[in-house]
């Protein structure tokens, strides 16, 4: 909540402009200054500054809510609670699809369809609400240079041929997907910090980061002393900002993650412990000395609300596992990748 922009807490535009010239943009920036410093910047009296401090503090402090109030607010909200994936059996298991207001992670080995899923969800978010979409724009943060505009057009035309029957509709959808190629941790963090402004100005209804692990694993060598602690601090801040954005604007945030190999008996820290939601081999019954797990450890696992694991079954068939969800039990679905994106092989979970 401290990352909330001052322009959204009730301050006058003139005062916000004056503060921004001194690089005071968020509630945190404002509250970190002393009353004397704020008096110099704003030109207000001590009493005026004190009133502003109270206003900003109340705006960014989380308010107590009862469970009944949360349920009533959600039922009365105009925005949908889920973004359907257009995979009926998966949507049914997830009680509607990818949840708005929370973080959903897609984990799996290279080539199993993580980016295909993200591109598919980008298209779905731009569709009209009567088609199950959010009728909004998408911020797509690509850290692996894996996004393909050609593939987006192909999936749109193949999956929804009746809707995308004109060049204008294809152009409109592609113009709503705002792609940012950020290849370092600093660039990713700066982009996340500016999401609030993008969401308001561009009408963004979905945020995707593909992938979270890519830049983190390149810049933080966990074998070096202190790097694990710094990495976890970065991931905690990243998750905190993304959760704020998701909850504040009631939009889904989708993240992809990579995999890593865990060697039995070679635990180096608590962050490397394997939980059932991390384990890509959990249903294979493997008793070997290693297993494949989601990257970034348990510290990151606790930050995501829902985790879907994608994995190979054979050269053509793949499998989606609901490994972690606040609303769905463990379930698995076989799928293939076709021109229209991911296609389930069955209508019921296995």
């Amino acid at each position: 909540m401290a990352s909330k922009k001052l322009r959204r807490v009730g301050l006058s535009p003139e005062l916000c402009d004056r503060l921004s010239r001194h690089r005071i943009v968020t509630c945190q920036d404002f509250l970190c200054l002393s009353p004397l410093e704020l008096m110099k910047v704003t030109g207000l009296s001590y009493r005026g500054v004190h009133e502003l401090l109270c206003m900003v503090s109340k705006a960014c402090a989380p308010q107590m809510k009862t469970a009944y109030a949360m349920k009533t607010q959600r039922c009365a909200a105009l925005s949908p609670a889920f973004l359907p994936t257009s995979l009926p059996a998966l949507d049914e298991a997830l009680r509607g699809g990818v949840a708005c207001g929370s973080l959903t992670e897609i984990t799996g080995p290279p080539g199993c369809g993580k980016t295909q899923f993200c591109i598919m969800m980008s298209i779905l978010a731009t569709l009209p609400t009567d088609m199950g979409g959010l009728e909004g724009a998408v911020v797509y943060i690509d850290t692996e240079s894996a996004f393909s505009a050609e593939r987006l057009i192909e999936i749109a035309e193949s999956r929804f041929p009746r809707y995308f029957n004109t060049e204008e509709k294809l152009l409109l959808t592609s113009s709503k997907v705002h792609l940012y190629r950020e290849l370092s941790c600093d660039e990713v963090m700066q982009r996340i910090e500016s999401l609030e402004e993008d969401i308001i100005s561009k009408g963004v209804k979905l945020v995707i980061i593909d992938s979270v692990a890519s830049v983190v694993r390149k810049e933080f060598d966990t074998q070096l002393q202190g790097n694990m602690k710094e990495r976890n601090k970065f991931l905690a801040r990243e998750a905190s900002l993304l959760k704020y954005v998701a909850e504040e604007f009631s939009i889904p945030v989708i993240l992809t993650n990579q995999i890593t190999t865990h060697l039995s008996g070679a635990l180096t820290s608590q962050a490397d412990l394997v939980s059932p939601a991390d384990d890509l081999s959990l249903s294979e019954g493997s008793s070997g000395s290693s297993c494949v797990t989601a990257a970034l450890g348990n510290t990151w696992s606790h930050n995501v609300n829902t985790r879907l694991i994608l994995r190979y079954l054979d050269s053509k068939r793949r499998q989606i596992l609901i490994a972690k969800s606040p609303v769905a039990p463990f379930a698995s679905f076989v799928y293939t990748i076709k021109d229209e994106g991911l296609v389930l092989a069955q209508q019921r979970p296995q």
Side-chain angles (χ1 to χ4, degrees), residues 177-332:
V177 180
H178 303 278
L179 180 71
Y180 299 98
R181 285 208 163 98
E182 313 294 6
L183 304 178
S184 71
C185 287
D186 286 342
E187 290 175 351
V188 170
M189 187 59 72
Q190 288 173 14
R191 181 59 55 195
I192 292 173
E193 289 172 347
S194 68
L195 278 177
E196 191 171 358
E197 295 174 5
D198 284 343
I199 290 169
I200 295 171
S201 63
K202 296 182 173 70
V204 171
K205 296 295 179 68
L206 171 64
V207 173
I208 294 174
I209 302 181
D210 183 20
S211 75
V212 171
S214 177
V215 291
V216 173
R217 296 177 85 181
K218 283 188 294 186
E219 295 191 27
F220 292 97
D221 182 355
T222 55
Q223 300 302 315
L224 298 177
Q225 187 176 6
N227 266 17
M228 178 65 77
K229 181 179 179 181
E230 291 303 313
R231 187 186 81 164
N232 288 342
K233 283 174 60 179
F234 174 85
L235 289 172
R237 174 159 174 75
E238 184 176 33
S240 175
L241 290 172
L242 290 171
K243 282 189 175 183
Y244 162 71
V245 165
E247 294 172 2
E248 181 73 8
F249 297 97
S250 189
I251 63 173
V253 174
I254 298 176
L255 316 162
T256 68
N257 193 5
Q258 299 175 346
I259 60 172
T260 188
T261 301
H262 158 70
L263 300 176
S264 300
L267 295 176
T268 57
S269 74
Q270 188 175 1
D272 293 320
L273 293 173
V274 180
S275 72
D278 298 326
D279 191 356
L280 276 68
S281 306
L282 75 170
S283 63
E284 295 177 357
S286 173
S287 58
S289 60
S290 66
C291 64
V292 178
T293 69
L296 305 181
N298 266 3
T299 300
W300 173 255
S301 294
H302 291 308
N303 283 312
V304 298
N305 304 102
T306 302
R307 168 172 279 166
L308 304 179
I309 294 176
L310 309 187
R311 66 179 187 178
Y312 291 100
L313 291 180
D314 51 44
S315 60
K316 292 184 179 180
R317 297 182 308 145
R318 297 165 174 85
Q319 190 176 46
I320 303 177
L321 307 175
I322 301 178
K324 177 184 178 183
S325 169
V327 298
F330 176 85
S332 64

